[in-house]
Amino acid sequence: METYINKLRGLATAAAVAVQGKIEGGYSFTLSPAAIRGYSGLWTLYNATKKSSNQQATLWVFDKRQFFETGLNRQLLTAQNKQQISTMLANQVSQLSRLRHPAILQIIEPLEETRNEQLIFVTERIEYSLNDLLADPQQARELDELEIQEGLMQVAKGLQFLHSTAKLVHGNLEPSSILINAKSEWKIGGFGFATPIQTSRAAQQLEYHMPKYTQPAADFAAPEYVLDSRMVPASDVFALGCLAAAAHSPGGQSPMHAAASSNDLGAYRRLLAQLPKSSAISSLPGSLSAVVKQMLEPSYEQRMTLAQFQSSAYFDNVLSATLRYLAALIEQPGDQKIAFLRGLPQMLPKFPVRVLKRQVLPHLLKLLSDRNALRFLLPNIFHIVDKLNQAEFVSLALPELKPIFAANEQIQQQQPQAVVVIVSKLELLKGKMPTQDFQSMVMPMCYAALTSTVPQVQDSALQHAPAVAKSVSSSELREQLLPRLQHVYAKSSILSIKIRAIKCLHGILGLLDKQTIISKVMPLLKRTKSRDPAVVMAILDMYEEIGLSFLDRKQVAMEILPILWTQIIDDRLRLPQFERFSQVIAKLQSRVETEHRRHLEQVQRMDEQAGRFVPPIMEHAESTFAQQTGSTTDDDLFASLVNKNVPTNGSAAAMQNPLANLAPASNLDLEWEWDAPAPGMQSRPDTNAHPKSTAARRVSVEVDFASNDGMSDTADDFGSFASFLPPPPPPSSSSLPASSKSVAAKPALQLNMAPKPVPQNNGSLKPRSYQPPKTTKFGATKVATSPLNLSQKHAGGKAADLGDFDPFA
């Protein structure tokens, strides 16, 4: 045996020398306490990544210096113990390098010893050992019975391979020897005490005083090894039975745990005899209890074989059978594969979520390369994707789905039903994928589906497009999605597609701006020729939202209501549809009436607050007039002007000429004159004058604007013309005495009006000094002024006609 150990040691050393530095230079990893992923025996596990291929792996590290030279080990371990431990670890790696099986841990890089006296090697990515899993109460609770069943089945297959093909007995099957990867696959490791199958005694006997790392775990060792130092294939069956019981016990304890720490062989035999009746066995679920009893038989010749264990009633359930068939599905014929995938959606809800994520999904993703099965495969994948968070989806599913999204055109042509499945899950993918990936990978497939020639594809895209429209930018919405929806609605001859397109447009209205709705959506609706009630009602829903949320009252009144009134009288409408039209019209009309009434009320309040504009001198005139006539309000003034009864506190002259007694404004220097018409001019009869005043001669007034320094060519408001005083109307001939029928009424007017020589003219009112026309800015509008000529409006320049004269009209 010493020769065999030396041979193994030489092989391990030679392998380490041959690959010196290959792991350190070819992999990226961090050796720190925070980076530790778990433990397996004396090995510490770290995550590693291969630099050349980005392959995910696990780095196994044993620090000899730290283990041998620190703590109690420095005092307790002899040089022989240290050598035994080093040999055992090297044997593990050596055996793994020779074995290839799905249930056995796969080694990537062989053993290497660093300059820091560290033994390292690299395997496939491992999440944790079964020992770490069972030691964590939270993770142990998440370990489902179905996962335990599959794990035990995988271990049994691995042991069967060791016994029948590799001709090895594992010899140390315990929880730290079982490694679990991200797919929840149980892998066999810990081959430090593996021995060839032989009938001779084992090379090393179990010694209780030795450190436990220098010999197999006593609580999982078979009786023939503990009592007789014999290692046979059935010894692994006994260890597997203890492992099955430990997977269901708190802390992962073996049923033989009580006798493992004692060297009393008599106590060991008594515990072994009572083992079938122990609570650790009787409390196992279902048929596993009976199976474990047969696996823990004291005599290895009477124990259940591995083949019997795999075919036992413990594995006789539909979920386990489904997982096993799924694992081999890639090798099945096409028709059987499709039949299985079509029935799988009924089984998926029965699986634990942990099993779906770790075992079912990886097998399904491997089948994506078979495009003929894609339409049946994707519904099962998306069922599991719905259970993943975003991080899990990105790491587990997205890398395998990217080639499907990239083959958009090919799938559109060859697998339209697969496109229907993908498009129907747009909202799910939007929530799981990063936004950038979704827009660059999935939305192009959605856009292509909108213009597909397959109605089912179009219908699915139209149904689900509004749910993902929020994830695209406003420019992409206007330039990519909206034009395609317009095209589908305008060109489709299938009624259901046209209605679906209208509903899709309705679904994205809230994402469009008002201008886009007015310029692109409204014209599309107006050009609709179909009068099918289903189409009309779908458009009615759009008009309702547009009218209530996007257009103003005038646009609703002029653009929508006339169309609705035209459509409501269509004889093809049924009574419920007619009532729906009436409700929408009533809503829109109510909105128009309410908002327009509010607008008018606001205008009225503004008018009341601003008041009627009255020049300051006119305010003075009205005040004086009120004193003379006894009128204090606008109504009183109006009544006093039209009432035939002259007030007692005012004279008739004051009533006819209320401005007669006004004092001239201090800032106004205007001269007026009344002039007779030119000789030969025919005066029009004054129909408004008193009959007795027909003999009164016609007069004209000439206004001297040049003397008014307070006026300006330009003005922005009426305030700059406040000093202007229009000419007062002359007194009626019937109300003045004969001696007063002269233009020399200066004392009565007191308006700085001096008699002037009357020129021969047509009796028009004009400025004393004529100025050329000027351009005046009046408010925001430029108005060209011209000489005042009232001959057309006031024939003959009759003074009584000047009462409503406005020189700026």
Side-chain angles (χ1 to χ4, degrees), residues 454-599:
V454 181
Q456 293 88 341
V457 176
Q458 272 191 328
D459 184 77
S460 181
L462 291 170
Q463 183 177 0
H464 298 92
V468 298
K470 295 180 180 180
S471 64
V472 302
S473 61
S474 57
S475 60
E476 185 177 352
L477 189 67
R478 293 192 303 267
E479 298 169 5
Q480 297 290 340
L481 183 58
L482 183 59
R484 286 175 170 81
L485 294 179
Q486 291 174 307
H487 175 79
V488 173
Y489 177 71
K491 300 300 182 181
S492 178
S493 59
I494 303 176
L495 181 61
S496 61
I497 297 297
K498 189 177 289 289
I499 296 174
R500 185 74 75 182
I502 282 292
K503 293 182 178 180
C504 186
L505 281 170
H506 190 183
I508 67 171
L509 275 181
L511 306 175
L512 301 176
D513 56 89
K514 178 179 178 181
Q515 184 60 35
T516 302
I517 292 176
I518 295 176
S519 62
K520 295 186 177 181
V521 178
M522 288 291 292
L524 181 68
L525 301 181
K526 292 180 180 179
R527 290 194 300 267
T528 301
K529 297 180 180 180
S530 175
R531 287 296 177 263
D532 185 276
V535 176
V536 172
M537 298 306 295
I539 295 178
L540 175 65
D541 294 336
M542 287 196 67
Y543 276 140
E544 179 182 17
E545 182 169 349
I546 293 174
L548 293 177
S549 304
F550 296 97
L551 304 186
D552 58 36
R553 67 186 190 285
K554 293 183 180 180
Q555 291 170 326
V556 172
M558 294 185 293
E559 301 292 337
I560 296 182
L561 285 175
I563 297 175
L564 298 185
W565 278 117
T566 302
Q567 294 177 346
I568 194 175
I569 59 175
D570 195 322
D571 292 337
R572 283 170 288 191
L573 295 179
R574 296 296 179 259
L575 181 59
Q577 297 169 336
F578 172 82
E579 292 177 347
R580 171 64 178 151
F581 258 94
S582 300
Q583 293 174 358
V584 174
I585 292 175
K587 286 182 181 179
L588 297 179
Q589 286 189 159
S590 175
R591 185 203 165 193
V592 172
E593 293 173 1
T594 301
E595 294 187 3
H596 194 62
R597 180 180 294 107
R598 188 182 301 115
H599 169 72

Side-chain angles (χ1 to χ4, degrees), residues 682-687 698 790-797 801:
Q682 298 297 326
S683 302
R684 293 178 298 176
D686 186 3
T687 58
R698 308 291 180 177
L790 304 182
S791 58
Q792 297 180 357
K793 184 176 180 180
H794 305 281
D801 292 339

Side-chain angles (χ1 to χ4, degrees), residues 41-63:
L42 296 178
W43 298 98
T44 304
L45 280 56
Y46 299 88
N47 286 343
T49 303
K50 193 170 186 178
K51 296 179 180 179
S52 60
S53 61
N54 202 33
Q55 179 184 5
Q56 302 298 305
T58 294
L59 176 68
W60 296 59
V61 179
F62 173 70
D63 193 333

Side-chain angles (χ1 to χ4, degrees), residues 533-741:
V535 176
V536 172
M537 298 306 295
I539 295 178
L540 175 65
D541 294 336
M542 287 196 67
Y543 276 140
E544 179 182 17
E545 182 169 349
I546 293 174
L548 293 177
S549 304
F550 296 97
L551 304 186
D552 58 36
R553 67 186 190 285
K554 293 183 180 180
Q555 291 170 326
V556 172
M558 294 185 293
E559 301 292 337
I560 296 182
L561 285 175
I563 297 175
L564 298 185
W565 278 117
T566 302
Q567 294 177 346
I568 194 175
I569 59 175
D570 195 322
D571 292 337
R572 283 170 288 191
L573 295 179
R574 296 296 179 259
L575 181 59
Q577 297 169 336
F578 172 82
E579 292 177 347
R580 171 64 178 151
F581 258 94
S582 300
Q583 293 174 358
V584 174
I585 292 175
K587 286 182 181 179
L588 297 179
Q589 286 189 159
S590 175
R591 185 203 165 193
V592 172
E593 293 173 1
T594 301
E595 294 187 3
H596 194 62
R597 180 180 294 107
R598 188 182 301 115
H599 169 72
L600 295 179
E601 291 173 350
Q602 184 179 3
V603 171
Q604 182 176 352
R605 287 194 299 268
M606 292 174 63
D607 290 344
E608 292 175 351
Q609 293 174 1
R612 178 174 61 88
F613 170 75
V614 180
I617 192 167
M618 293 303 296
E619 294 179 356
H620 178 67
E622 291 179 356
S623 176
T624 305
F625 180 78
Q627 293 176 3
Q628 294 177 349
T629 60
S631 301
T632 59
T633 64
D634 289 345
D635 294 338
D636 293 337
L637 294 176
F638 179 79
S640 64
L641 291 173
V642 301
N643 198 346
K644 294 182 180 181
N645 298 324
V646 181
T648 57
N649 59 343
S651 61
M655 287 299 301
Q656 295 297 328
N657 187 10
L659 303 179
N661 295 326
L662 291 179
S666 59
N667 63 343
L668 195 63
D669 186 14
L670 300 178
E671 295 185 2
W672 304 83
E673 66 178 0
W674 299 96
D675 195 10
M681 288 189 61
Q682 298 297 326
S683 302
R684 293 178 298 176
D686 186 3
T687 58
N688 297 325
H690 194 274
K692 294 183 180 182
S693 63
T694 54
R697 63 186 179 87
R698 308 291 180 177
V699 296
S700 65
V701 179
E702 185 176 57
V703 184
D704 185 5
F705 283 86
S707 63
N708 182 17
D709 297 334
M711 293 189 63
S712 173
D713 293 15
T714 62
D716 292 331
D717 51 37
F718 287 99
S720 50
F721 298 101
S723 59
F724 173 71
L725 178 64
S732 174
S733 58
S734 60
S735 61
L736 295 176
S739 60
S740 300
K741 296 178 182 180

Side-chain angles (χ1 to χ4, degrees), residues 13 306 490 527:
T13 304
L306 291 174
R527 290 194 300 267

Side-chain angles (χ1 to χ4, degrees), residues 199-478:
T199 58
S200 61
R201 288 180 174 272
Q204 179 181 349
Q205 297 181 358
L206 182 64
E207 300 179 13
Y208 289 96
H209 65 277
M210 294 289 292
K212 66 176 183 178
Y213 298 114
T214 61
Q215 55 188 354
D219 48 350
F220 288 85
E224 60 270 18
Y225 174 71
V226 175
L227 301 176
D228 197 27
S229 300
R230 182 180 297 275
M231 194 75 72
V232 295
S235 302
D236 289 339
V237 176
F238 185 92
L240 181 60
C242 293
L243 188 69
H248 293 85
S249 65
Q253 290 185 350
S254 166
M256 301 298 295
H257 175 73
S261 58
S262 172
N263 60 358
D264 186 355
L265 296 181
Y268 180 85
R269 290 187 178 93
R270 287 192 297 272
L271 178 61
L272 187 64
Q274 299 173 359
L275 191 60
K277 300 179 181 179
S278 66
S279 60
I281 305 301
S282 60
S283 62
L284 294 176
S287 58
L288 181 61
S289 177
V291 172
V292 170
K293 288 180 182 180
Q294 299 181 48
M295 297 174 73
L296 299 182
E297 280 288 338
S299 173
Y300 65 87
E301 296 176 348
Q302 298 179 2
R303 288 180 198 146
M304 177 182 286
T305 64
L306 291 174
Q308 292 173 338
F309 174 71
Q310 295 177 56
S311 60
S312 65
Y314 176 59
F315 299 103
D316 188 12
N317 63 79
V318 65
L319 295 183
S320 295
T322 301
L323 286 178
R324 290 193 294 271
Y325 193 91
L326 179 61
L329 185 62
I330 195 171
E331 302 173 357
Q332 302 298 327
D335 55 344
Q336 296 183 18
K337 185 185 301 182
I338 292 176
F340 176 81
L341 292 175
R342 295 183 67 173
L344 185 58
Q346 302 176 3
M347 297 299 301
L348 291 180
K350 301 178 182 179
F351 282 95
V353 176
R354 182 184 174 95
V355 175
L356 289 177
K357 293 179 182 180
R358 292 175 169 267
Q359 298 188 43
V360 179
L361 181 61
H363 289 305
L364 294 177
L365 292 175
K366 289 181 180 179
L367 299 172
L368 286 174
S369 57
D370 186 356
R371 298 297 170 83
N372 294 327
L374 194 60
R375 57 177 293 193
F376 307 104
L377 185 62
L378 288 174
N380 297 289
I381 292 177
F382 287 134
H383 176 87
I384 303 175
V385 165
D386 190 32
K387 314 259 183 213
L388 306 177
N389 56 42
Q390 188 179 46
E392 292 172 335
F393 174 79
V394 171
S395 62
L396 299 178
L398 185 57
E400 305 297 333
L401 290 173
K402 282 184 178 180
I404 303 299
F405 300 144
N408 182 14
E409 297 181 2
Q410 181 181 0
I411 294 178
Q412 293 277 354
Q413 297 174 1
Q414 300 178 1
Q415 297 290 332
Q417 294 300 325
V419 178
V420 173
V421 176
I422 294 174
V423 172
S424 66
K425 300 298 182 179
L426 284 177
E427 191 170 3
L428 172 64
L429 292 172
K430 173 179 173 291
K432 303 296 182 180
M433 296 179 65
T435 302
Q436 184 176 1
D437 290 341
F438 179 80
Q439 293 180 355
S440 61
M441 298 179 187
V442 181
M443 287 307 296
M445 184 171 287
C446 178
Y447 295 147
L450 288 173
T451 55
S452 173
T453 57
V454 181
Q456 293 88 341
V457 176
Q458 272 191 328
D459 184 77
S460 181
L462 291 170
Q463 183 177 0
H464 298 92
V468 298
K470 295 180 180 180
S471 64
V472 302
S473 61
S474 57
S475 60
E476 185 177 352
L477 189 67
R478 293 192 303 267

